[in-house]
């Protein structure tokens, strides 16, 4: 998290923290200009690392954090993206992202930041990702 703070101070990342009754609930961050170029040579802001603690889930906190990040991305781009892990443990966020209008970006799955070639074998770990985008 020290890295997040340094990136926020440098204007590279914006972080929102949620609390309720003085208790930490969760956070989300937005990378304004990610290093990966996505569309027409232009970086697309990326919502990154949304996390709400289990005791605070299903209370609208994640939706509120996403609203904040999307509102920040809007003036920079008409598109925002995020990555979702493909392992079973990440199944719960996949449906809400679809309900918010996020769709696969059409570039297939990525592993360690690289597209997975057709027919390739990879480990289904935290680095196996599908990128989703939403038009703002």
């Amino acid at each position: 998290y020290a890295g997040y703070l340094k990136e926020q101070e440098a204007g590279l990342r914006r972080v929102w923290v949620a609390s309720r009754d003085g208790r930490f609930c969760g956070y989300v961050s937005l990378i304004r200009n990610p290093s990966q170029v996505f569309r027409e040579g232009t970086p697309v802001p990326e919502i990154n690392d949304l996390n709400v603690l289990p005791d605070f889930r299903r209370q609208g906190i994640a939706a509120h954090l996403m609203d904040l990040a999307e509102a920040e991305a809007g003036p920079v781009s008409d598109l925002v993206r995020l990555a979702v892990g493909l392992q079973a443990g990440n199944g719960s966020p996949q449906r809400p992202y679809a309900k918010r209008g996020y769709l696969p970006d059409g570039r297939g799955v990525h592993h360690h930041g690289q597209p997975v070639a057709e027919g390739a074998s990879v480990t289904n770990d935290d680095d196996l990702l599908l990128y989703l985008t939403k038009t703002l």
Side-chain angles (χ1 to χ4, degrees):
Y1 300 113
Y4 280 14
L5 180 59
K6 286 180 183 178
E7 289 176 357
Q8 180 160 299
E9 289 170 347
L12 303 173
R13 180 187 298 263
R14 178 82 191 265
V15 180
W16 293 267
V17 176
S19 65
R20 180 169 287 154
D21 299 324
R23 293 179 59 204
F24 172 76
C25 300
Y27 64 94
V28 70
S29 73
L30 177 76
I31 301 171
R32 292 186 174 130
N33 292 302
S35 59
Q36 294 178 329
V37 173
F38 170 68
R39 184 180 63 172
E40 299 167 8
T42 304
V44 173
E46 182 177 319
I47 295 174
N48 184 268
D49 205 10
L50 173 65
N51 188 7
V52 176
L53 297 179
D55 288 349
F56 297 100
R57 292 181 184 159
R58 304 190 66 79
Q59 298 176 33
I61 294 168
H64 181 66
L65 290 168
M66 290 290 292
D67 290 345
L68 293 168
E70 289 173 358
E72 180 87 9
V76 177
S77 175
D78 64 344
L79 196 65
V80 65
R81 75 178 191 161
L82 55 82
V84 63
L86 297 180
Q87 65 274 42
N90 284 337
S92 61
Q94 293 171 3
R95 290 178 54 93
Y97 291 144
K99 288 179 181 179
R100 288 185 70 89
Y102 285 86
L103 299 171
D105 69 4
R107 298 182 308 138
V109 297
H110 287 68
H111 196 247
H112 294 287
Q114 299 298 317
V116 176
E118 188 172 334
S121 295
V122 295
T123 302
N124 189 358
D125 58 14
D126 286 342
D127 292 311
L128 185 61
L129 304 172
L130 179 67
Y131 284 92
L132 309 176
T133 59
K134 177 181 178 179
T135 302
L136 300 173

